[in-house]
Amino acid sequence: MVPYPSLYQVNTRVCLTELSRTLGRRATLDDIPDTELDRFAALGFDWIWLLSVWQTGELGCRISRTNPEWRHEFQDTLPDLCDDDIPGSGFAITGYTVHEKLGGNAALARLRERMKKRGLRLLLDFVPNHMGPDHPWVEEHPEYFVPGTELDLARAPKNYTWVRRKKGDKLLALGRDPYFAGWPDTLQLNYGNPATQEAMTKELLKIAGQCDAVRCDMAMLVLPNVFERTWGIRSEPFWPKATKTVKDRFPDFRFMAEVYWDLEWELQHQGFDYTYDKRLYDRLREGHAQPVRDHLRADMGYQNKMARFLENHDEPRAAATFPHGQHEAAAVITFLAPGLRFFHQGQFEGRKKRISPHLCRAPEEPVDARLQAFYGDLLRALKRPVVREGEWRLLDCVPAWDGNWTNDCFLAFAWKRGDERLLAVVNYAPNRSQCYVRLPFADLGARQWRLDDLLSDASYVREGNDLQGKGLYLDESGWKTSIFQMTDLALFKGDGFQVEMTVPMEKAAPKTRKAKALT
């Protein structure tokens, strides 16, 4: 496993709906073509996250279809919405077996085997906080859920519900976090009950036999301090025991946490290999370089376990959030930083409509050819061993002259692996900015260096003594982004290469590039 892998999130139900139209029949996991898996591998992905493969129930589906607030959101996504587009939330799970309409466990096992042949690992969902309202445990083990009283229901009617059971109705809590009302299509698991924790650990072991990793939904909600704050119930820590139990049996298994509220470090210490970096995403949305730079000064042990993203199924689409220019700049910062590079289906094409996990169909949207070409270049850069296995460093950007404050607008990273060197520089501001970038390489002097921008056709030559002394001078327009491959010019001349372009970087205009498909 490389230190800095890439992950691609697939909306499984949407993918199979589109395949069904092509095939003229209901598609299952067996119908995902080998050519698509080949494409994922060719793009440089290590992990594929198949969202929403587990069994869900009719009751959860009915709640999703009849909830007025949700229905309004669904119609905004799909103006021609019909009930068949709403199978219910993939997180209102009634069993950790693959949904019968997706082909069941056997189809997943066959798909996983096809992925393995291409070096792709499979990541699936685990939802620790809650279950669907028609989960078998409601009948068999109601003690696994947080109970309610009539007084609870009167005080917080949106947090409790009566559940019909053959053995007698029960008033149970809805799944929730401490800041919002309950999710009406879920029931809250009781982590104050040791039997619940044991049962959920067994579910994790069952999942671990079917995939290579899990993304744990809202993982911080079952931390003892958070759980007690939400429900007034004390509990023992779940994650340290659960992750150890799974890894003892499956040593290569990986855990990724959806986590907020600055609890990433705590979950990393409780067995998680990766944790969401929502803080970086939020700071990039704010559009200021300094907070982003401060965030990236964190300890490398912490940063290496961060999952960096610009969008996922919970966040708005990046193309709808970041305007052109800022989008590309934010992407280079996000994915050229250390950690897990986490991409989302539709991101490369510039989709703007977020698709709720309750839906199984996506709207038709045009492809943004400019963004698609950019992501093609970026993914090719991310396939290089230097950024998958190399050493990363955040660089200082100093003023180009006294009184020029615009150096504060830059972010710059260096990657090194053996003789390979890569330099990412971003003017993360709408204004033109200047600076000198201090390079961390001690062997630049007395040589000339060629800098090839992997995001354009631009190429530059710089004197090593200048780079070693002053640093790399930049004078860039707003949101300008480059990823430079640095090469000793003698290597080119030795092959008969003749260098003609020594124009200062700030005056060299890159050539226009045609859009490239992500193939």
Side-chain angles (χ1 to χ4, degrees):
M1 185 73 178
V2 296
Y4 303 115
S6 294
L7 176 149
Y8 187 66
Q9 180 187 6
V10 175
N11 190 320
T12 313
R13 298 188 298 189
V14 167
C15 173
L16 294 184
T17 296
E18 293 172 355
L19 271 175
S20 297
R21 288 201 206 102
T22 301
L23 297 173
R25 59 170 174 79
R26 183 186 296 278
T28 71
L29 297 175
D30 281 322
D31 293 305
I32 295 177
D34 286 345
T35 52
E36 187 72 351
L37 303 182
D38 292 337
R39 186 175 74 93
F40 292 151
L43 290 172
F45 292 111
D46 304 278
W47 294 90
I48 302 298
W49 171 11
L50 295 183
L51 178 73
S52 300
V53 304
W54 302 123
Q55 189 67 48
T56 55
E58 288 299 321
L59 181 53
C61 176
R62 186 160 65 247
I63 293 170
S64 294
R65 289 176 176 178
T66 57
N67 183 289
E69 183 179 347
W70 291 351
R71 188 101 187 183
H72 178 76
E73 176 193 339
F74 305 156
Q75 286 177 323
D76 183 60
T77 304
L78 295 171
D80 58 342
L81 179 76
C82 65
D83 279 355
D84 287 344
D85 297 324
I86 315 172
S89 171
F91 297 102
I93 291 167
T94 59
Y96 284 102
T97 56
V98 178
H99 202 292
E100 57 189 5
K101 292 183 179 179
L102 274 59
N105 288 352
L108 181 70
R110 289 187 290 269
L111 175 61
R112 185 186 180 195
E113 191 59 33
R114 288 192 286 142
M115 291 174 61
K116 277 185 180 179
K117 292 178 180 178
R118 293 159 174 83
L120 298 170
R121 297 190 180 193
L122 175 63
L123 182 146
L124 299 176
D125 304 305
F126 177 62
V127 185
N129 187 65
H130 49 263
M131 291 291 195
D134 39 4
H135 192 283
W137 286 352
V138 173
E139 286 286 348
E140 300 164 6
H141 293 286
E143 70 277 9
Y144 288 176
F145 300 94
V146 170
T149 65
E150 290 285 3
L151 182 58
D152 291 328
L153 183 63
R155 287 175 174 173
K158 292 186 177 181
N159 293 340
Y160 296 87
T161 187
W162 280 102
V163 178
R164 303 196 65 171
R165 300 171 65 249
K166 295 175 183 176
K167 300 177 183 178
D169 296 353
K170 288 276 188 180
L171 184 59
L172 299 176
L174 298 174
R176 61 182 289 254
D177 75 24
Y179 299 106
F180 296 95
W183 299 295
D185 60 342
T186 66
L187 297 176
Q188 177 67 49
L189 290 163
N190 183 4
Y191 278 80
N193 181 355
T196 304
Q197 294 203 20
E198 182 179 354
M200 290 302 285
T201 301
K202 289 179 179 177
E203 295 293 270
L204 262 176
L205 284 169
K206 184 193 304 182
I207 296 169
Q210 301 180 79
C211 61
D212 305 292
V214 284
R215 177 266 193 185
C216 299
D217 183 72
M218 300 290 280
M220 71 286 181
L221 293 183
V222 303
L223 291 171
N225 57 334
V226 177
F227 189 79
E228 184 174 2
R229 186 167 76 247
T230 308
W231 298 107
I233 300 172
R234 290 191 175 183
S235 63
E236 292 297 314
F238 170 70
W239 290 120
K241 294 179 290 186
T243 55
K244 182 180 185 303
T245 298
V246 172
K247 289 185 178 184
D248 283 347
R249 188 177 301 184
F250 303 95
D252 295 329
F253 198 79
R254 297 289 181 265
F255 286 84
M256 180 171 73
E258 179 194 18
V259 53
Y260 311 111
W261 314 330
D262 296 323
L263 293 170
E264 297 85 357
W265 182 250
E266 183 173 348
L267 284 177
Q268 288 179 13
H269 280 265
Q270 293 194 16
F272 278 89
D273 302 281
Y274 299 105
T275 54
Y276 271 34
D277 194 358
K278 179 66 157 54
R279 185 69 66 185
L280 175 62
Y281 169 80
D282 288 339
R283 286 171 172 167
L284 288 168
R285 285 192 65 172
E286 292 167 2
H288 304 293
Q290 183 65 50
V292 175
R293 188 163 47 248
D294 290 342
H295 182 77
L296 294 173
R297 295 188 192 278
D299 178 81
M300 288 302 297
Y302 172 77
Q303 293 211 58
N304 287 343
K305 292 188 173 185
M306 300 303 278
R308 320 276 197 184
F309 59 86
L310 274 190
E311 68 174 52
N312 57 59
H313 69 271
D314 288 314
E315 305 295 345
R317 290 289 199 178
T321 303
F322 298 91
H324 267 303
Q326 186 181 359
H327 185 155
E328 292 89 328
V332 168
I333 294 168
T334 298
F335 302 117
L336 266 296
L340 173 71
R341 287 114 186 194
F342 171 10
F343 298 91
H344 182 222
Q345 183 180 1
Q347 180 175 345
F348 305 144
E349 296 79 15
R351 308 297 189 199
K352 293 187 175 181
K353 287 283 190 177
R354 174 186 168 270
I355 304 167
S356 167
H358 296 254
L359 298 175
C360 67
R361 181 165 67 92
E364 293 185 9
E365 296 185 76
V367 172
D368 186 323
R370 178 175 162 184
L371 268 180
Q372 189 175 54
F374 162 76
Y375 274 112
D377 289 337
L378 179 61
L379 289 175
R380 280 184 282 275
L382 293 177
K383 287 172 65 176
R384 293 170 175 255
V386 65
V387 293
R388 287 169 58 78
E389 304 171 12
E391 178 186 353
W392 174 89
R393 188 176 299 183
L394 178 66
L395 305 182
D396 291 329
C397 300
V398 299
W401 59 82
D402 289 343
N404 185 346
W405 56 271
T406 61
N407 66 295
D408 195 48
C409 300
F410 283 96
L411 287 110
F413 312 146
W415 284 91
K416 189 175 188 301
R417 177 182 178 271
D419 292 333
E420 292 181 272
R421 307 159 198 255
L422 215 65
L423 181 65
V425 293
V426 178
N427 177 17
Y428 202 66
N431 51 274
R432 192 169 193 87
S433 303
Q434 301 81 26
C435 76
Y436 281 100
V437 180
R438 299 294 194 196
L439 302 185
F441 312 122
D443 58 350
L444 300 177
R447 286 187 280 177
Q448 288 187 316
W449 292 86
R450 175 176 163 127
L451 281 69
D452 293 297
D453 188 356
L454 303 181
L455 299 181
S456 75
D457 290 329
S459 181
Y460 310 96
V461 174
R462 292 292 178 266
E463 294 293 335
N465 287 328
D466 289 340
L467 294 176
Q468 198 87 65
K470 294 181 180 179
L472 176 66
Y473 178 68
L474 298 175
D475 180 0
E476 305 289 9
S477 58
W479 309 119
K480 181 67 170 64
T481 300
S482 295
I483 303 173
F484 293 114
Q485 174 184 287
M486 295 184 62
T487 311
D488 184 347
L489 193 57
L491 299 178
F492 287 97
K493 289 181 177 179
D495 291 334
F497 182 86
Q498 298 297 316
V499 179
E500 297 180 358
M501 189 165 81
T502 57
V503 180
M505 188 172 298
E506 64 273 17
K507 295 182 180 179
K511 301 173 184 177
T512 302
R513 305 191 76 174
K514 294 182 179 179
K516 296 181 181 177
L518 292 178
T519 57

